Every structure is written in structure tokens, then in C-alpha cells.
Amino acid sequence: SHSTSRLYLIPRSGDLRKDIYSYIDENPGIRYRELIRLARTTNGVLSYHLGKLEKSGEIRIERLSNNRVTRYFVVDIPKKDSDIIGCFRSKVIRNIVYFVLKNEFCTFNEIVDHIGKAPSTIFWHIKRLREAGILDTNYGNDHFLYGITDKEMISRILLEYKESFTDRIIENYTDIVDKL
């Protein structure tokens, strides 16, 4: 008879729940799919451990946009920061924010030209940034101007959590490919 064995990589500490907590701590605002890849475990096992971590008060689970997006945070990250961090997990959003921070007030077309994405994509991201209270809109000279609402706070969050915004999954993937 033929049996198939699966390769499960050993968790880094030997304690899966502790590892899951570490992944959340290192990647504030991480989503479920990212966590399942990092933890290298099954759906049920991850759900079980996340439930235990939430019940023990070690993590906070935030569900956004009609429960379609779930993000995980350690409890010592302030709620106001976590709202912004969730947005900054998107590279396009970070690029928009960096551009507007650098250039003070920007028109929609300037943002589209700089980012190089479709206007509809930029519009969707700007809407998200406005809802999160990150971007402010003023009307001047026949067009809207976009600016950052609280430059000090946004700059602090970008600096404080910048390591967690890097595209680690992509970096890990390229590391794996390089080793092949």
C-alpha cells in the first residue's frame, strides 16, 4: 500500500500558539490567509488557537467591511493605530500616503500619475483613506486637493510599524525560489 506523508515544518519555538502570537505581534493587522501560511497549519488548528488567544485577552480581532476583512492585533496596539495600520498593509495605500505626505496637497490626477494605477483603483483607495480619517479633502481651484489629516501621527505609525508593512510573504517566496 502507498501512503502519502505531508511535510509540516516545525514551528520556530515548538509552541504553535506562541508562534501565532509572535506572527501577529511582528505583523500588526495581519490577515487570516497570511497567518495560515506563516503558521504552516490547518484552518481548524489556526482557528482554535486564535480563539484561545482572543479569549485570554492577548490578541484583538477586528472585522471590517461587513466581516469580509479580518485583521489580528496584539492588545497593546492602540485601537486608533490599528485602524491606520490595517490600511497601511496595502502597498498602494502606503505609496499614496507617502506621496501626499511629501507633496502636501495633491490633486487626484497627480496621485494617479505618480502611483501608475487605474483611476478607479486610486479612487477606491482614496475612499478607504478618507473613511479611515487618514486623508482629508479640500476644494480649491476647480478641483479637490488631498492632504494628510494628522501628519505627526501618520508619520509616527509609518516609522514605528514600517517593518511589519514590508511584503514579507513575497520576500519569503523569493527567498525560497532563490534557494531552488
Side-chain angles (χ1 to χ4, degrees), residues 18-33:
K18 190 172 159 185
D19 288 344
I20 292 167
Y21 177 86
S22 293
Y23 296 135
I24 295 169
D25 187 34
E26 293 165 11
N27 302 282
I30 193 168
R31 291 174 64 173
Y32 191 85
R33 285 189 183 273

Side-chain angles (χ1 to χ4, degrees), residues 87-88 90-98 125 128-129:
C87 283
F88 286 170
S90 159
K91 189 175 184 176
V92 174
I93 283 186
R94 285 194 313 274
N95 288 338
I96 292 170
V97 171
Y98 288 136
H125 286 300
R128 252 183 97 193
L129 286 164

Side-chain angles (χ1 to χ4, degrees), residues 28 71 81-98 101 128-129 134 148 153-159 161 164-167:
R71 296 197 179 277
D81 286 10
S82 66
D83 291 343
I84 293 167
I85 291 167
C87 283
F88 286 170
R89 301 277 306 165
S90 159
K91 189 175 184 176
V92 174
I93 283 186
R94 285 194 313 274
N95 288 338
I96 292 170
V97 171
Y98 288 136
L101 265 172
R128 252 183 97 193
L129 286 164
I134 297 168
I148 302 295
M153 180 182 63
I154 299 303
S155 297
R156 176 187 60 78
I157 290 171
L158 282 168
L159 282 171
Y161 299 103
S164 73
F165 300 140
T166 60
D167 300 318

Side-chain angles (χ1 to χ4, degrees), residues 114-129:
H114 178 76
I115 304 300
K117 298 280 183 190
S120 59
T121 301
I122 299 300
F123 182 80
W124 187 84
H125 286 300
I126 285 175
K127 182 178 175 216
R128 252 183 97 193
L129 286 164

